[in-house]
Amino acid sequence: MPPRWWDPIMSRVIAVMACGFMLAACSATMPSLDFLKSTPQPETLAIESEPAGAEAKTSLGESCRTPCKLSVQPGSEFSVTFALSGYQPQTVSVRPEAEGATAAPRLAPNPVHVDLQAVAPPKKPVAKKKPVAAATRPAAPPPMASAAPTPAPTAAPTPAPAPALAPAPSAPTEAAPSATNYPWPSR
């Protein structure tokens, strides 16, 4: 038989442990009654475009080629973006609408239909034609100024015969040294 002093201590230990278990049970998460609530059933969203074959991508991450159908939860608003090569992309907003207080929300618009607008091809720039030069001969270089002084005109000049023009040289000639292209010695 246990000693007498053992009984009051054991009863206190049992009482403290019982209180601890009850406190732990109250602070633990209680199972909710969510199983009684009905989750909205996924709704089938029909997606169409004119012309067909456009890439339809929802903001929820789902995508397909038109015409197609996607299974979507009608919980919140989302968008559908249509893209097709040669056409401008378009985006349509889809939102849930409740028909009554007890009715499940339905997606609107359903079906989603878009008429895609063709993108006009960029016009090619028309090349401007250069006017044909009247003379086929290249222009003569400007005459060089000479350092010799020009003679003063006489009182009555006699007309001299015009000198014949020589054909322009085909290869460029080397320019005479000048102050700009002559290598001066450095001091």
Side-chain angles (χ1 to χ4, degrees):
M1 199 163 171
R4 254 176 126 55
W5 59 272
W6 186 259
D7 289 335
I9 293 177
M10 253 342 228
S11 63
R12 287 183 187 161
V13 168
I14 292 173
V16 168
M17 287 181 62
C19 288
F21 282 124
M22 289 183 2
L23 183 62
C26 289
S27 66
T29 56
M30 298 290 290
S32 64
L33 301 177
D34 286 340
F35 65 91
L36 295 178
K37 295 180 184 177
S38 64
T39 58
Q41 296 297 320
E43 186 174 345
T44 301
L45 178 67
I47 301 174
E48 306 166 352
S49 71
E50 184 59 42
E55 177 74 21
K57 187 171 187 175
T58 68
S59 59
L60 303 173
E62 299 176 4
S63 65
C64 64
R65 290 248 177 233
T66 61
C68 60
K69 294 182 179 184
L70 294 175
S71 180
V72 180
Q73 289 289 345
S76 63
E77 186 171 339
F78 62 94
S79 63
V80 181
T81 302
F82 295 85
L84 182 62
S85 179
Y87 293 88
Q88 293 178 347
Q90 290 186 15
T91 302
V92 176
S93 179
V94 179
R95 64 197 169 284
E97 288 184 349
E99 295 175 357
T102 60
R106 309 296 286 173
L107 295 175
N110 193 2
V112 177
H113 181 80
V114 169
D115 290 326
L116 296 172
Q117 302 297 320
V119 174
K123 292 185 177 183
K124 294 181 181 177
V126 178
K128 294 182 181 179
K129 293 184 179 180
K130 294 183 179 179
V132 178
T136 57
R137 185 173 76 188
M144 297 282 242
S146 71
T150 57
T154 59
T158 57
L165 292 175
S170 60
T173 59
E174 188 174 318
S178 71
T180 58
N181 68 357
Y182 187 75
W184 294 97
S186 62
R187 294 182 193 192

